[in-house]
């Protein structure tokens, strides 16, 4: 069929072969046709490259990527990646989108400056710390799409992804925890004031009794 022109030659073709020992190997064939002076096909020239290990490695990498994506997408914490130079988001998981009220498409068109409720110089200072130490952790305030703010605990790391340096961050919403902490502090203050007032009243009563 190839010789009479009813089919076209596939220049690159993967095909399994059986070796003498009975092992199956995957071969990538590079194919060419040879023609005579009149342009008629007279032969084919094929060279085979064993890509078995490369294919296995690729499958393992794909499995790891799928596992990573599943973990990131199912995480309750917000996870994102941002370009070191431009500060622009290059990836964001569903939890971060829910946390801030943006769609993933909206976030990928934004920078870190758009969500962090701090002075840009302060943001740069903290990110430079992560660049030097390859890790930084602390509490931040993030601005949501509706303009309100949330308190978050953030862990930032510097990694190489896709041939470029990126920040990876895990952000946990601690707004409710901070509110409860403040409420507890207020309660403790009131208890301390109540104890002090009770002590003063007791001492005052003793004085009154002495005077009487």
């Amino acid at each position: 069929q190839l010789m009479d022109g009813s089919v076209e030659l596939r220049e690159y073709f993967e095909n399994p072969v059986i070796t003498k020992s009975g092992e199956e190997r995957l071969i990538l064939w590079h194919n060419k046709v040879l023609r005579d002076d009149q342009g008629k096909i007279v032969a084919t020239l094929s060279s085979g490259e064993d890509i078995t290990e490369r294919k296995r490695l690729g499958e393992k990498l794909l499995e790891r990527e799928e596992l990573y994506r599943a973990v990131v997408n199912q995480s309750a914490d917000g996870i994102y990646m941002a370009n070191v130079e431009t500060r622009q988001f290059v990836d964001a998981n569903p939890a971060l989108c829910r946390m801030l009220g943006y769609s993933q498409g909206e976030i990928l068109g934004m920078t870190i400056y758009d969500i962090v409720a701090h002075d840009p110089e302060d943001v740069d200072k903290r990110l430079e710390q992560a660049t030097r130490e390859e890790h930084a952790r602390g509490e931040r305030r993030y601005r949501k799409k509706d303009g309100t703010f949330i308190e978050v605990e953030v862990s930032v790391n510097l990694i190489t992804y896709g041939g470029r340096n990126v920040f990876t961050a895990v952000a946990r919403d601690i707004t409710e925890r901070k509110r409860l902490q403040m409420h507890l502090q207020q309660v403790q203050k009131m208890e301390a004031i109540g104890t002090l007032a009770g002590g003063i009243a007791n001492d005052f009563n003793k004085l009154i009794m002495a005077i009487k």
Side-chain angles (χ1 to χ4, degrees):
Q1 290 177 333
L2 179 65
M3 299 290 281
D4 65 23
S6 60
V7 296
E8 292 186 2
L9 179 72
R10 294 173 64 181
E11 291 188 4
Y12 299 97
F13 178 69
E14 293 181 9
N15 188 52
V17 300
I18 304 297
T19 66
K20 183 178 180 180
S21 64
E23 180 187 8
E24 183 177 299
R25 307 291 292 182
L26 185 64
I27 308 299
L28 173 61
W29 296 101
H30 304 261
N31 305 308
K32 295 289 183 181
V33 294
L34 302 179
R35 301 176 184 271
D36 60 16
D37 295 339
Q38 286 73 42
K40 180 182 178 182
I41 298 175
V42 295
T44 61
L45 177 63
S46 300
S47 63
E49 177 186 0
D50 189 337
I51 60 169
T52 308
E53 300 306 325
R54 186 198 310 170
K55 197 77 171 180
R56 288 174 183 168
L57 178 60
E59 290 172 353
K60 287 181 180 179
L61 289 174
L62 183 60
E63 289 176 0
R64 289 182 62 183
E65 183 176 350
E66 289 175 350
L67 177 61
Y68 156 79
R69 184 58 57 185
V71 171
V72 169
N73 287 342
Q74 294 174 16
S75 173
D77 294 329
I79 301 175
Y80 64 83
M81 292 184 180
N83 187 288
V84 169
E85 285 77 24
T86 64
R87 312 298 201 226
Q88 185 169 3
F89 293 106
V90 296
D91 198 5
N93 74 338
L96 186 75
C97 297
R98 291 191 298 270
M99 187 186 298
L100 299 177
Y102 291 100
S103 68
Q104 188 180 50
E106 289 174 323
I107 289 182
L108 296 184
M110 299 163 58
T111 68
I112 295 176
Y113 303 119
D114 295 320
I115 68 166
V116 179
H118 292 279
D119 184 89
E121 292 184 0
D122 181 61
V123 175
D124 287 335
K125 180 181 178 181
R126 296 180 184 275
L127 291 178
E128 285 169 7
Q129 178 189 354
T131 303
R132 291 191 307 270
E133 302 175 4
E134 297 187 352
H135 178 77
R137 186 169 184 160
E139 294 182 3
R140 306 284 186 274
R141 294 185 72 205
Y142 279 4
R143 183 187 300 106
K144 298 175 63 175
K145 185 177 181 178
D146 62 9
T148 59
F149 296 93
I150 58 174
E151 301 289 336
V152 294
E153 184 178 66
V154 187
S155 178
V156 181
N157 291 277
L158 179 67
I159 67 168
T160 301
Y161 175 77
R164 55 185 170 178
N165 291 330
V166 297
F167 294 114
T168 62
V170 178
R172 175 169 296 178
D173 188 344
I174 59 171
T175 307
E176 185 63 18
R177 186 206 304 174
K178 297 286 283 187
R179 187 188 69 78
L180 291 174
Q181 286 176 346
M182 290 181 64
H183 179 68
L184 179 60
Q185 289 172 358
Q186 289 294 332
V187 170
Q188 289 173 338
K189 266 186 200 175
M190 295 303 295
E191 287 179 348
I193 292 172
T195 301
L196 178 63
I200 292 173
N202 186 49
D203 291 342
F204 186 71
N205 285 333
K206 287 179 179 178
L207 289 172
I208 294 295
M209 291 298 294
I211 292 170
K212 288 177 66 176

